[in-house]
Amino acid sequence: QVQLVETGGGLVQTGGSLRLSCAASGRSFSSYLMGWFRQAPGKEREFVGSISRIGTTTTYADSVKGRFTISRDNAKNTLYLQMNMLKPEDTAVYYCVASLRAGVRLEVTTGDDYWGQGTQVTVST
C-alpha cells in the first residue's frame, strides 16, 4: 500500500505557473504507475497526465498538452506536475494517483488504485 500527499496548490493569475508535488510513502514508489487527475466544481473528475514507472513515458490530456509537464523522482519518492500558462479553466482540485497495474499509461482508474487527498488550484482572471 502507498500513502500520497499532494502539496503546492494555491491561487495564481492567468498565465502564471505552479508546481504540484505528490510525496509517496509505504511500498516502493518505483513500483507504481503514477498520474494526476483533477476535478472542477460541478464536473466529473478528469485525467490530466500520467508517467511510467521509470519516467520514460508520459501521457497528457489534450487540454494541458504543451503547458503541463509531469515528472517523477524515484529516489525522493515524489511525483511532480509543472503547470505553466495556467488558465481559469484549470481551476480544480488536483489529485495524484498510484497504480500497480501493468502498462505505461494511467488514463482510467479503478478501485484498486490509490489516491491522495487533493490540492486546490485556483486560476484567477
Side-chain angles (χ1 to χ4, degrees):
Q1 191 169 357
V2 63
Q3 292 78 44
L4 304 170
V5 179
E6 302 98 333
T7 56
L11 174 65
V12 63
Q13 291 187 329
T14 296
S17 298
L18 279 175
R19 188 194 198 199
L20 305 184
S21 298
C22 173
S25 60
R27 182 173 173 165
S28 175
F29 180 66
S30 60
S31 300
Y32 292 91
L33 177 61
M34 298 296 298
W36 289 97
F37 284 71
R38 67 185 182 185
Q39 187 167 20
K43 294 189 176 181
E44 296 283 321
R45 194 170 291 182
E46 66 175 0
F47 169 75
V48 174
S50 68
I51 188 166
S52 60
R53 288 167 174 81
I54 59 173
T56 52
T57 300
T58 54
T59 307
Y60 298 96
D62 288 343
S63 58
V64 306
K65 205 171 291 184
R67 299 187 299 121
F68 291 11
T69 302
I70 189 170
S71 61
R72 66 190 296 164
D73 186 335
N74 286 346
K76 295 183 177 179
N77 294 343
T78 304
L79 175 73
Y80 302 100
L81 183 66
Q82 177 67 45
M83 305 186 293
N84 299 327
M85 296 182 287
L86 283 160
K87 306 175 180 179
E89 52 263 44
D90 295 318
T91 294
V93 178
Y94 284 71
Y95 300 89
C96 68
V97 182
S99 177
L100 289 172
R101 76 180 69 171
V104 296
R105 301 164 68 102
L106 183 58
E107 292 163 284
V108 178
T109 62
T110 72
D112 293 328
D113 298 328
Y114 300 93
W115 291 75
Q117 84 290 347
T119 185
Q120 176 70 47
V121 171
T122 303
V123 185
S124 64
T125 56

